[in-house]
Amino acid sequence: MEPADVWGARWDACDNALSRRYMEVACRKQSLVILAADLNTMAGLNGLIDSVGPHIAALKTHVDLIDDWTTDGWRDFCEKAIAHDLLIFEDRKFADIGPISRGQMAGVYDIRSWANIVTAHGISGPDIVDGLCAGWNDVGREGGVLLLAQMSSRGNLLGLPGYTDEMVKAGISNQGVFGFIGNGSRAEELAVLREKVGNQKLIWTPGVNLAVGDGVMGQRYGNPRNAIHAGSDGIIVGSGIYKSANVKDTATEYAEISWNALVERSDE
Ligand code: S5P
């Protein structure tokens, strides 16, 4: 299917430079799975990407989880991800003032040089997006920020009255914003977020697992198909894949469920 058909109004309306790239990759691979590669060794990460690379549409990392991180090892890992046609999304959850966030894009990990997308909280105000974009600009690159508008974990404070609305207001007309993180564990909350966001931005959702219910330490899980029907454009799946007995088969299963749900949604 052509991206414009399956993504509907989102295809024309999304205004971050990377949005169409993601939507195209998702169509080529027939997958809306963003792999949360939350492993702590380079060997583990390389093995995982070798197994599931063809079945995922983007790669989400937590670079500071890794015990044996090296500049060269990371460069090779990123090259592998690029060879699999994956946008690289560092889930750093930046939250500081604009100039410091810009500086934190550099440092030892030099996130600005390899990440296409990063997450940010809007707690410090909307200028964090410009700070992060300036970070990419410092090395002649462009990227996209995913603002956390909701979270999947129990008792999180983003659910306090007005917070999500303020986040949407802060990000909706900024072209540096790739989209919003929504709560994949509660389809009804996600549908409300989609109403607020309209078609101009993508929504990616963690808190998704075929085993619906409570996870460890406050994580909550909802069903991937329901999340996409409620307006998610990408399901962030971590332990549901990397802890499974056969990561390739499981990634394929999540890919099929997510793609079928998108096709069903496009027919609605
Ligand atoms: O609200 C959130 C936002 C994020 S980005 N809840 C989350 O769980 N995440 C991230 O998604 C989290 O940092 C982790 O990398 C992933 C979920 O992993 P899983 O193992 O629970 O699927």
Side-chain angles (χ1 to χ4, degrees):
M1 274 176 96
E2 290 300 312
D5 296 331
V6 79
W7 287 104
R10 225 89 93 222
W11 178 255
D12 286 322
C14 281
D15 60 359
N16 178 266
L18 295 173
S19 307
R20 281 194 171 188
R21 212 167 119 194
Y22 166 72
M23 290 189 270
E24 280 169 347
V25 173
C27 288
R28 266 199 298 279
K29 294 190 162 182
Q30 305 209 334
S31 172
L32 276 66
V33 176
I34 294 112
L35 174 71
D38 295 337
L39 299 181
N40 59 358
T41 64
M42 288 308 308
L45 285 169
N46 280 303
L48 182 62
I49 203 89
D50 286 340
S51 302
V52 309
H55 311 291
I56 61 175
L59 170 70
K60 186 176 93 64
T61 56
H62 278 302
V63 70
D64 51 358
L65 284 183
I66 300 154
D67 294 332
D68 57 350
W69 190 91
T70 60
T71 307
D72 290 349
W74 194 253
R75 191 202 47 236
D76 294 347
F77 176 65
C78 290
E79 277 171 12
K80 208 184 265 267
I82 292 164
H84 279 293
D85 217 359
L86 300 169
L87 288 171
I88 305 175
F89 158 24
E90 168 58 20
D91 186 10
R92 170 63 177 70
K93 297 187 179 73
F94 291 95
D96 215 313
I97 58 169
I100 297 300
S101 299
R102 176 187 193 167
Q104 289 171 324
M105 287 286 272
V108 173
Y109 294 122
D110 204 26
I111 294 170
R112 61 190 180 173
S113 295
W114 49 266
N116 305 108
I117 296 163
V118 298
T119 35
H121 282 292
I123 193 79
S124 58
D127 294 287
I128 191 167
V129 175
D130 295 343
L132 295 169
C133 290
W136 276 303
N137 193 42
D138 289 337
V139 288
R141 282 163 52 91
E142 261 188 288
V145 177
L146 272 167
L147 285 173
L148 285 116
Q150 296 176 332
M151 289 195 78
S152 62
S153 45
R154 180 174 66 194
N156 76 77
L157 304 183
L158 279 61
L160 290 177
Y163 190 97
T164 300
D165 289 7
E166 286 299 323
M167 257 344 357
V168 172
K169 208 162 81 189
I172 197 74
S173 31
N174 188 332
Q175 284 190 10
V177 172
F178 176 83
F180 296 95
I181 293 289
N183 177 11
S185 76
R186 295 289 182 275
E188 61 287 3
E189 288 177 22
L190 192 56
V192 173
L193 178 63
R194 175 50 77 192
E195 273 291 303
K196 291 173 178 163
V197 169
N199 283 308
Q200 208 176 332
K201 300 290 180 191
L202 297 174
I203 298 177
W204 283 3
T205 54
V208 167
N209 199 300
L210 287 170
V212 168
D214 289 340
V216 291
M217 293 189 201
Q219 176 67 304
R220 301 174 297 181
Y221 291 113
N223 175 276
R225 180 171 177 271
N226 293 351
I228 289 165
H229 277 278
S232 165
D233 302 312
I235 51 166
I236 296 173
V237 186
S239 45
I241 292 175
Y242 68 73
K243 281 195 178 159
S244 69
N246 185 325
V247 293
K248 183 179 163 40
D249 288 355
T250 308
T252 308
E253 189 182 1
Y254 276 95
E256 280 172 11
I257 290 167
S258 63
W259 177 254
N260 290 341
L262 181 69
V263 172
E264 286 161 15
R265 186 174 89 186
S266 69
D267 289 335
E268 280 168 4

